[in-house]
């Protein structure tokens, strides 16, 4: 079945450092891919998405490119801030349009001043 | 975008009792889902709440333990029955429209502690 594997955390960075959180997936057909973020004490929010191969999703300085050849959707940000500290989830929705989301295990990011 | 309200936001319950969680969406949506997030874990889909028919449960989840209702296109409930400490989790409601925007929205979650 469909699955998502993402980089284990926690990831601890200094402010202004470069961030990469790796995510790879297994799916049949043409899934849609998402990054969701969960800030401390808050609900899940969509950070960015890509619905087809070679699409680049971007938001708030974060980017991820849908790479079908490597089945990856790595999250990157050039310069992290303390306010980026959160749990990040790589998420897949299969092409069958059932609406079901498959979540990666989540990566906790802590940014220190 | 859709706004999803869940209640209660948290509860502490005695083992053997049941808790019903409500999920209200501010617009009509085709699809509603219930997820569980156990402590320190990722989200796992419990079931898809179908309007006007029985919910579709994922492997490992059964209707007797997690009965779900969806009487209309904006509301659903999840009941956690005969609770044990292992049911302590965050339960999240999610909604998405089948057509158009592919984004799924989430409620704030219900933090359940069973003692």
């Amino acid at each position: 079945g469909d699955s998502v594997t993402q980089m284990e955390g926690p990831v601890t960075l200094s402010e202004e450092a470069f961030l990469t959180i790796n995510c790879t997936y297994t799916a049949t057909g043409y899934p849609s891919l998402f990054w969701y973020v969960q800030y401390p004490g808050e609900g899940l929010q969509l950070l960015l998405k890509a619905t087809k191969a070679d699409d680049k999703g971007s938001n708030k300085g974060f980017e991820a490119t849908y790479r079908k050849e490597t089945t990856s959707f790595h999250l990157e940000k050039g310069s992290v801030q303390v306010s980026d500290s959160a749990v990040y989830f790589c998420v897949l929705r299969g092409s069958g349009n059932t609406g079901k989301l498959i979540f990666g295990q989540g990566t906790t990011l802590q940014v220190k001043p | 975008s859709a706004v999803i309200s869940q209640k209660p936001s948290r509860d502490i319950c005695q083992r053997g009792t049941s808790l019903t969680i409500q999920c209200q969406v501010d617009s009509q949506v085709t699809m509603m889902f219930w997820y569980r997030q156990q402590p320190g874990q990722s989200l796992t889909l419990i079931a898809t709440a179908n309007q006007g028919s029985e919910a579709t449960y994922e492997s490992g989840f059964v209707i007797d333990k997690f009965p779900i209702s969806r009487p209309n296109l904006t509301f659903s409930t999840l009941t956690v029955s005969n609770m044990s400490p292992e049911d302590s989790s965050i339960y999240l409601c999610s909604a998405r429209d089948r057509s158009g925007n592919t984004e799924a929205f989430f409620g704030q979650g219900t933090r359940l502690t069973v003692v």
Side-chain angles (χ1 to χ4, degrees):
Chain A
D2 295 350
S3 66
V4 176
T5 302
Q6 66 180 98
M7 174 176 166
E8 286 195 25
V11 174
T12 303
L13 295 173
S14 297
E15 207 164 22
E16 300 183 3
F18 185 86
L19 169 71
T20 299
I21 301 178
N22 290 335
C23 172
T24 57
Y25 67 90
T26 302
T28 55
Y30 303 95
S32 295
L33 299 170
F34 308 83
W35 279 96
Y36 277 82
V37 59
Q38 189 174 38
Y39 296 104
E42 298 186 17
L44 277 168
Q45 303 173 26
L46 178 67
L47 179 61
L48 53 83
K49 67 181 181 185
T51 57
K52 62 183 187 297
D54 299 326
D55 268 1
K56 177 186 283 188
S58 61
N59 186 26
K60 300 182 181 179
F62 290 90
E63 292 183 340
T65 301
Y66 186 159
R67 303 279 189 205
K68 192 165 176 64
E69 64 275 13
T70 54
T71 62
S72 65
F73 193 54
H74 305 320
L75 182 68
E76 297 182 335
K77 186 173 185 181
S79 175
V80 293
Q81 305 299 313
V82 172
S83 57
D84 294 326
S85 299
V87 181
Y88 293 82
F89 292 94
C90 185
V91 181
L92 174 153
R93 190 180 74 241
S95 54
N97 203 32
T98 62
K100 290 163 47 174
L101 299 179
I102 308 297
F103 281 76
Q105 59 266 50
T107 302
T108 300
L109 169 66
Q110 184 177 17
V111 181
K112 296 188 173 180
Chain B
S1 65
V3 176
I4 300 178
S5 303
Q6 258 185 259
K7 56 181 181 181
S9 57
R10 58 178 63 230
D11 207 343
I12 301 173
C13 300
Q14 296 291 322
R15 68 177 67 203
T17 63
S18 297
L19 175 72
T20 295
I21 303 167
Q22 298 181 3
C23 176
Q24 179 74 54
V25 189
D26 69 346
S27 59
Q28 292 189 345
V29 289
T30 311
M31 311 179 85
M32 294 182 73
F33 307 89
W34 287 97
Y35 290 83
R36 182 175 71 182
Q37 186 178 20
Q38 293 178 299
Q41 306 278 322
S42 187
L43 280 74
T44 301
L45 180 65
I46 297 171
T48 303
N50 301 308
Q51 194 262 327
S53 64
E54 196 169 280
T56 304
Y57 289 84
E58 298 299 304
S59 176
F61 298 96
V62 295
I63 188 171
D64 289 347
K65 177 67 177 177
F66 297 102
I68 287 170
S69 78
R70 187 167 175 204
N72 56 52
L73 290 176
T74 63
F75 186 78
S76 178
T77 66
L78 168 75
T79 299
V80 186
S81 302
N82 188 26
M83 288 183 283
S84 66
E86 291 71 37
D87 295 320
S88 298
S89 290
I90 298 173
Y91 292 86
L92 295 107
C93 173
S94 176
R96 174 183 169 260
D97 207 82
R98 190 188 298 273
S99 61
N101 194 320
T102 59
E103 177 178 351
F105 299 93
F106 286 82
Q108 295 286 87
T110 297
R111 183 179 294 273
L112 170 63
T113 303
V114 184
V115 297

